[in-house]
Amino acid sequence: MKSIKKIIAFVLVLSMVFAFASCGESANKYVIYSDNSFAPFEFFDKEKSAYIGVDMDILAAIAEDQGFEYEMRNEGFDAAMGAVQAGQGDAMIAGMTINDERKKTFDFSEGYFEDGSILVTAVDSAIKSEADLKGKMIAAKKGTVSTTYAESIKDKYGFTISYFEGSPEMYQAVINGNAVACFEDFSVIGWAIKNDNVKLKTVGNVVNPASYGFATKKGNKAELIEMFNKGLANIKANGKYNEILKKYGYA
Ligand code: GLN
């Protein structure tokens, strides 16, 4: 009887030790959100059964350089912004454009990539400029700077907007003719056309060039932004950053 009690006591103590240890572990790990289909920055690799891409590699290299641990959650762009604002995540890296509007609610790292939005249509489309969107429906991805841009010119040019959660759904709407165009980051649509055989084309020039940055909720996790910036400078200096861009066809 005594020994049974001892065993129970021992098991209880052991489980408390484990519970405490795993608690400590998760407390030391940052939770970082991202998009789930935004190649070449983050996209699912079936063979590796993992998310890969420029953002995934840059974050991994910076975390290694700075010695912090993190857990990735690739749940979509608008979802990532919501999760960071709600405090479910510590930060996000998602091909996220740095701008003044977002600086009201996010803190950003230094920029790590330059990009901008461009008008995208079906391959056989006659649309030559934004003026040709009059009376038409365009597709837009929720929460993006491309969408903010489209909203800012929609009354001037007289078009309507249909909203989508992810880039693939937005492209599909244009491909199947439910929308005549969309706006997307130039390097991302370029990748999709070149590498994923997406039957779309770009029209005109990039409209709002800006940098991508790593972001936290404003006033939160300043140490994480600081580590990201230091790590970014280090991987730029040691060649790792260029190696990553090269791997995905840049630099
Ligand atoms: N760069 C764009 C933005 O920040 C799109 C990002 C994305 O769709 N992942 O709004």
Side-chain angles (χ1 to χ4, degrees):
M1 206 50 197
K2 248 189 177 172
S3 64
I4 288 182
K5 271 192 186 161
K6 265 190 187 165
I7 289 169
I8 291 173
F10 180 70
V11 169
L12 271 177
V13 167
L14 207 65
S15 59
M16 276 165 73
V17 167
F18 272 116
F20 189 72
S22 60
C23 200
E25 191 189 350
S26 62
N28 289 331
K29 258 190 187 177
Y30 290 108
V31 174
I32 300 183
Y33 276 76
S34 186
D35 204 341
N36 53 7
S37 190
F38 202 58
F41 296 93
E42 42 271 339
F43 56 111
F44 194 72
D45 183 292
K46 282 199 188 110
E47 270 162 41
K48 293 202 175 87
S49 192
Y51 283 94
I52 62 165
V54 173
D55 286 349
M56 303 296 97
D57 285 7
I58 285 179
L59 181 60
I62 288 174
E64 195 189 344
D65 182 82
Q66 293 293 302
F68 66 84
E69 287 194 55
Y70 64 97
E71 179 189 312
M72 237 16 259
R73 297 206 184 141
N74 294 77
E75 295 185 6
F77 184 66
D78 204 41
M81 290 200 295
V84 171
Q85 286 304 323
Q88 288 155 13
D90 297 305
M92 63 185 285
I93 184 160
M96 184 183 190
T97 305
I98 302 170
N99 66 24
D100 287 344
E101 189 54 34
R102 286 180 177 161
K103 280 184 186 167
K104 291 178 189 163
T105 51
F106 288 95
D107 285 329
F108 285 97
S109 69
E110 298 293 329
Y112 64 85
F113 192 87
E114 303 297 314
D115 212 340
S117 308
I118 194 154
L119 183 61
V120 178
T121 68
V123 178
D124 57 3
S125 172
I127 289 167
K128 290 274 173 296
S129 73
E130 290 165 353
D132 296 331
L133 301 174
K134 192 172 174 58
K136 307 271 201 275
M137 164 89 80
I138 75 145
K141 177 174 170 182
K142 282 184 198 163
T144 63
V145 291
S146 290
T147 294
T148 307
Y149 175 74
E151 285 163 348
S152 75
I153 59 164
K154 108 185 204 300
D155 290 341
K156 178 176 172 198
Y157 293 114
F159 59 81
T160 51
I161 303 178
S162 173
Y163 294 85
F164 297 87
E165 216 57 56
S167 291
E169 300 93 284
M170 175 174 74
Y171 301 163
Q172 202 49 49
V174 181
I175 291 166
N176 65 26
N178 287 342
V180 296
C182 66
F183 286 94
E184 175 65 298
D185 287 11
F186 180 68
S187 53
V188 172
I189 192 62
W191 171 282
I193 292 168
K194 189 162 171 249
N195 299 290
D196 292 336
N197 203 23
V198 167
K199 299 276 181 252
L200 293 171
K201 69 176 179 192
T202 61
V203 176
N205 300 314
V206 163
V207 287
N208 48 4
S211 291
Y212 288 171
F214 173 85
T216 61
K217 183 176 176 176
K218 195 176 175 67
N220 269 275
K221 313 282 167 192
E223 86 282 3
L224 192 50
I225 296 282
E226 201 177 304
M227 285 193 287
F228 189 94
N229 285 338
K230 280 189 189 153
L232 180 63
N234 288 345
I235 66 167
K236 277 189 170 172
N238 69 20
K240 182 77 193 161
Y241 173 87
N242 271 334
E243 197 184 289
I244 293 168
L245 287 195
K246 228 177 179 173
K247 181 170 154 193
Y248 294 99
Y250 300 111

